[in-house]
């Protein structure tokens, strides 16, 4: 066969510990991603596969960008945006094309990405949405910044702020992030599939530091608890501004690292700046997703 897809090359990258398997379909003539979603679940499996929070497929752009980035959560379902993944893809493309700036297409938007350091990228995440049908919610809610929930398995939640920052998010500001009381692993999936969110939701618990900055823990729709979530950090800043809890520019501290987030007043765009890292490169079998070879990327 002229096009043998039995071995698929991939790159493993991460942004603040939020990790991705990246496959460039542009280098495989005739490639058709028929494998979703079961294939993605196998690749993302950390015990039997390669392991990742999101699987990213690169394709030729068709809306004026430099590269089209398709995102699949580890459960195999597509996602509209992924901020950390976008920065990784942008860094990869800029390195290969010897550029400092380019546009990454996603289902959410065309995002301008810029290299601001050797391994640091700033991404324009676009304009956040607040209307109930834009998030979306299952029914009309007049004030999406103050949503009340009944007790979730005996846990009383504070008022939540709903934001679409590329993906639907619900953000709770709390006095502390002690998970003996919040129990993110228990509350996260219940809210992710709550009847209020017809397309699911990312769940964030945030705490504002007295000295500035925000601590954040996120349960990602379709991926579970992750070390970092780029759109979650963006949604949290936007929620904080809406509630009068933060300035329009803040450092968000996640388990895997920190992201600088800014919500610009002049155009309402949210900018995210943070690190990217190569983990390794390798190949996997199209019909057997266990990693076949792997080596550290330069």
């Amino acid at each position: 066969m002229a096009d043998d897809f039995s071995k698929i090359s991939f790159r493993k990258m991460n942004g603040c510990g939020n990790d991705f398997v990246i496959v460039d379909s542009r280098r495989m003539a005739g490639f058709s991603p028929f494998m979703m979603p079961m294939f993605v679940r196998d690749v993302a499996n950390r015990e039997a596969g390669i392991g990742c929070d999101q699987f990213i497929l690169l394709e030729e752009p068709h809306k004026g960008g430099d590269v089209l980035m398709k995102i699949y959560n580890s459960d195999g379902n597509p996602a509209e945006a992924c901020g950390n993944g976008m920065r990784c893809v942008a860094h990869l493309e800029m390195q290969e094309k010897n550029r400092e700036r380019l546009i990454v297409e996603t289902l959410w938007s065309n995002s301008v990405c810029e290299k601001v350091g050797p391994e640091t990228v700033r991404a324009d995440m676009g304009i956040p949405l607040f209307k109930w049908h834009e998030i979306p919610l299952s029914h009309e809610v007049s004030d999406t910044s103050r949503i009340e929930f009944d007790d979730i398995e005996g846990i009383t939640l504070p008022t939540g702020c709903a934001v679409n920052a590329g993906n639907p998010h619900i953000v709770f500001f709390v006095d502390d992030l002690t998970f003996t009381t919040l129990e993110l692993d228990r509350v996260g999936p219940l809210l992710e599939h709550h009847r209020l969110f017809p397309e699911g939701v990312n769940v964030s618990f945030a705490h504002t530091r007295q000295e500035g900055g925000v601590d954040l823990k996120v349960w990602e729709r379709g991926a579970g608890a992750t070390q970092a979530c780029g759109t979650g950090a963006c949604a949290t800043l936007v929620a904080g501004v809406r509630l009068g809890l933060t300035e329009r520019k803040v450092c968000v501290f996640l388990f895997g690292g920190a992201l600088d987030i800014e919500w610009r007043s002049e155009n309402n765009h949210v900018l995210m700046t943070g690190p990217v890292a190569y983990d390794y490169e390798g190949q996997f079998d199209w019909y057997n997703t266990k990693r076949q070879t792997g080596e550290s990327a330069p």
Side-chain angles (χ1 to χ4, degrees):
M1 293 178 61
D3 296 318
D4 181 7
F5 301 136
S6 62
K7 301 291 185 183
I8 303 297
S9 297
F10 71 91
R11 288 178 173 136
K12 185 77 182 292
M13 298 183 70
N14 81 84
C16 292
N18 189 191
D19 62 342
F20 316 100
V21 169
I22 303 173
V23 171
D24 192 345
S25 70
R26 298 169 299 177
R27 300 181 179 183
M28 299 181 289
F31 174 83
S32 177
F34 63 82
M35 67 287 198
M36 316 324 184
M38 183 174 65
F39 178 82
V40 171
R41 290 198 296 268
D42 290 342
V43 171
N45 188 298
R46 295 189 184 277
E47 294 182 359
I50 299 167
C52 63
D53 294 324
Q54 279 84 27
F55 179 95
I56 294 175
L57 188 67
L58 303 184
E59 296 185 357
E60 294 290 348
H62 54 260
K63 292 184 179 180
D66 293 288
V67 59
L68 172 61
M69 165 184 165
K70 289 187 176 179
I71 308 149
Y72 299 86
N73 287 322
S74 57
D75 68 353
N77 290 312
E80 295 84 356
C82 177
N84 287 319
M86 180 185 298
R87 290 186 299 100
C88 287
V89 167
H91 189 272
L92 185 65
E93 290 289 303
M94 286 187 283
Q95 189 176 52
E96 293 184 351
K97 296 176 180 178
N98 193 27
R99 292 173 57 179
E100 301 290 316
R101 183 179 184 275
L102 50 72
I103 298 174
V104 178
E105 289 184 18
T106 66
L107 293 177
W108 168 247
S109 67
N110 280 15
S111 297
V112 176
C113 298
E114 299 176 276
K115 187 177 181 180
V116 296
E119 295 179 346
T120 305
V121 174
R122 179 171 60 231
D124 186 335
M125 298 299 293
I127 299 173
L129 305 176
F130 313 125
K131 295 179 180 179
W132 71 272
H133 61 278
E134 295 174 329
I135 292 168
L137 305 180
S138 58
H139 61 265
E140 184 173 357
V141 174
S142 58
D143 185 2
T144 58
S145 69
R146 300 182 183 278
I147 297 177
E148 301 288 344
F149 290 88
D150 295 330
D151 287 356
I152 304 295
E153 289 201 351
I155 297 176
T156 301
L157 295 171
T159 300
C161 180
V163 180
N164 189 323
N167 299 307
H169 289 266
I170 184 75
V171 182
F172 301 94
F173 281 88
V174 296
D175 293 334
D176 62 67
L177 291 175
T178 304
F179 285 91
T180 53
T181 55
L182 286 179
E183 299 187 72
L184 180 62
D185 288 342
R186 188 154 63 101
V187 176
L190 294 173
L191 286 172
E192 176 188 350
H193 302 290
H194 193 280
R195 61 184 178 278
L196 182 62
F197 307 106
E199 295 181 9
V201 73
N202 295 268
V203 184
S204 294
F205 290 99
H207 170 70
T208 56
R209 295 184 175 186
Q210 288 186 345
E211 68 275 17
V214 177
D215 293 310
L216 182 63
K217 299 291 185 181
V218 182
W219 177 274
E220 289 196 56
R221 175 187 61 168
T226 56
Q227 294 194 58
C229 176
T231 61
C234 295
T236 296
L237 171 63
V238 171
V241 174
R242 293 181 74 193
L243 297 171
L245 298 175
T246 67
E247 302 294 329
R248 297 186 76 97
K249 186 175 183 180
V250 74
C251 185
V252 178
F253 299 93
L254 302 114
F255 185 80
L259 295 169
D260 291 316
I261 311 296
E262 179 182 5
W263 186 17
R264 291 189 168 173
S265 57
E266 62 268 26
N267 60 10
N268 275 334
H269 282 236
V270 178
L271 303 182
M272 174 181 54
T273 305
V276 302
Y278 289 93
D279 295 330
Y280 55 83
E281 300 177 355
Q283 292 182 321
F284 55 80
D285 194 308
W286 181 259
Y287 304 104
N288 178 0
T289 55
K290 292 181 181 179
R291 190 171 77 241
Q292 302 298 308
T293 63
E295 57 184 25
S296 297

